[in-house]
């Protein structure tokens, strides 16, 4: 029997990012060699990450997809080393990648399309007894930052996540294994991201743990006055994560694990 997600990963839980990609927006290529990715995953776990999220496909604004065989070629050697040893999440939208990752010991699937891209992914998650993260995205990575518009971004993201949660449950994935994510930066302007953070309680009210990905995102550089920023400062991401924790977020997908573990540890104690 699988524990409820909130029991297995009590808040605040830090999720370390291991992008096995040459072109990720904030750590582009740093862990592209399997040995580097394995070392990074082990370091993050030692620094206090509750999970490490391994991904072989970049979702940066403007990026195109990666073919299945290339995504497998990137992530399999890394998962062979760490997925039996550390709690691992697989950042993928492809059922076949998720299946291989779960076979190798991954415990969670992080799907930025919220089960919209691959009709077989829900079944793989259900059959594998895996945890699942459902994220909101408007459009697709290639075009999502081309003038995104909402009437009420928070209400629309909440309605989307509620709908995708119901879909996942209808596909046989127990609700207690699912967390939700507003998808900071995925088809959102700076103002949309700030509005989501300001009204995070409306997403917490959906009743499932909330994962937020703020780490190094470009809007953090832009709010600090650099209109061309492509990466946000680590310190700004840490501050935003602490605020999000105070507003009810549970999981924090981050590049800089030690900094977040320390800051969130202080936030818990204070
Ligand atoms: N952000 C990114 C990728 N995956 N998954 C979830 N659930 N939430 C997020 O906010 C999120 C995500 C993008 O960040 P990064 O991993 O730094 O870059 P890339 O997608 O280019 O690998």
């Amino acid at each position: 029997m699988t524990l409820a997600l909130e029991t297995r990963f009590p808040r605040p839980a830090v999720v370390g990012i291991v992008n096995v990609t040459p072109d990720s927006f904030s750590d582009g290529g740093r862990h592209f060699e399997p040995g580097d990715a394995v070392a990074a995953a082990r370091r993050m776990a030692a620094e206090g990450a509750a999970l490490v999220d391994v991904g072989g496909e970049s979702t940066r604004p403007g990026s195109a997809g990666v073919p299945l065989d290339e995504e497998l070629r990137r992530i399999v050697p890394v998962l062979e080393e760490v997925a039996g040893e550390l709690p691992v999440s697989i950042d993928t939208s492809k059922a076949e990648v998720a299946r291989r990752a779960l076979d190798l010991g991954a415990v969670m699937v992080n799907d930025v399309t919220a089960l919209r891209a691959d009709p077989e992914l829900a079944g793989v998650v259900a059959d594998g007894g895996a945890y699942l993260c459902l994220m909101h995205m408007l459009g697709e990575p290639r075009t999502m930052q081309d003038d995104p518009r909402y009437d009420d971004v928070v209400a629309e993201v909440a309605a989307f996540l509620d709908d995708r949660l119901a879909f996942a449950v209808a596909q046989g994935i127990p609700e207690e294994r699912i967390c939700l994510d507003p998808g900071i930066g995925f088809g959102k302007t700076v103002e949309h991201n700030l509005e989501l953070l300001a009204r995070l309680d409306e997403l917490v009210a959906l009743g499932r743990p909330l994962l937020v990905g703020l780490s190094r995102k470009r809007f953090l550089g832009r709010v600090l006055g650099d209109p061309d920023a492509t990466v946000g400062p680590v310190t700004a991401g840490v501050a935003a994560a602490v605020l999000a924790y105070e507003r009810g977020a549970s999981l924090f997908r981050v590049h800089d694990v030690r900094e977040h573990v320390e800051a969130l540890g202080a936030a818990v104690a204070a």
Side-chain angles (χ1 to χ4, degrees):
M1 200 200 68
T2 316
L3 294 174
L5 188 142
E6 49 271 53
T7 309
R8 173 80 191 268
F9 304 109
R11 72 184 292 266
V14 171
V15 181
I17 302 171
V18 178
N19 286 320
V20 198
T21 56
D23 57 349
S24 288
F25 79 72
S26 45
D27 61 0
R30 224 156 38 108
H31 307 141
F32 192 48
E33 293 301 323
D36 295 340
V38 167
R42 290 192 174 127
R43 176 178 45 77
M44 289 176 185
E47 289 176 350
L51 270 167
V52 289
D53 187 36
V54 177
E57 176 176 54
S58 176
T59 48
R60 70 191 300 208
S63 62
V66 171
L68 171 65
D69 56 348
E70 173 63 14
E71 196 174 333
L72 286 171
R73 201 185 59 75
R74 292 177 183 180
I75 58 114
V76 166
V78 179
L79 296 181
E80 280 174 345
E81 287 290 321
V82 299
E85 167 189 321
L86 314 170
V88 167
S89 145
I90 177 71
D91 189 348
T92 191
S93 302
K94 296 188 182 75
E96 187 53 30
V97 174
R99 187 180 292 120
R100 288 290 290 277
L102 297 179
D103 284 349
L104 289 168
V107 296
M108 176 156 138
V109 175
N110 173 24
D111 177 15
V112 298
T113 76
L115 303 179
R116 292 177 298 164
D118 188 331
E120 290 180 23
L121 183 54
V124 170
V125 174
D127 293 346
Y131 296 104
L132 173 67
C133 182
L134 295 171
M135 195 194 81
H136 175 272
M137 167 163 48
L138 183 70
E140 52 170 357
R142 205 168 43 80
T143 52
M144 66 190 177
Q145 291 308 103
D146 301 346
D147 194 24
R149 285 168 194 254
Y150 302 84
D151 288 328
D152 179 338
V153 64
V154 182
E156 287 170 47
V157 168
F160 172 89
L161 292 175
D162 206 31
D163 179 66
R164 298 317 293 166
L165 177 63
F167 173 81
V169 171
Q171 298 292 308
I173 303 165
E175 179 165 342
E176 62 267 22
R177 291 191 199 150
I178 301 173
C179 64
L180 306 175
D181 181 343
I184 297 294
F186 284 85
K188 286 145 193 123
T189 62
V190 171
E191 289 70 29
H192 293 143
N193 293 323
L194 294 174
E195 182 81 8
L196 284 162
L197 281 177
R199 293 166 54 198
L200 209 63
D201 59 315
E202 294 175 42
L203 302 177
V204 174
L206 294 170
R208 294 305 306 146
L210 218 58
L211 184 151
V212 287
L214 298 157
S215 183
R216 300 191 194 171
K217 288 209 171 150
R218 61 180 64 181
F219 87 101
L220 295 167
R222 297 193 179 176
V223 288
L224 294 173
D226 177 359
D228 302 319
T230 53
V231 194
V234 175
T235 42
V238 170
V242 169
L243 268 179
Y245 168 70
E246 182 89 344
R247 292 170 187 170
S250 293
L251 300 111
F252 303 84
R253 185 179 179 278
V254 309
H255 304 84
D256 308 282
V257 168
R258 186 175 53 77
E259 289 80 353
H260 284 83
V261 167
E262 290 176 355
L264 289 164
V268 170

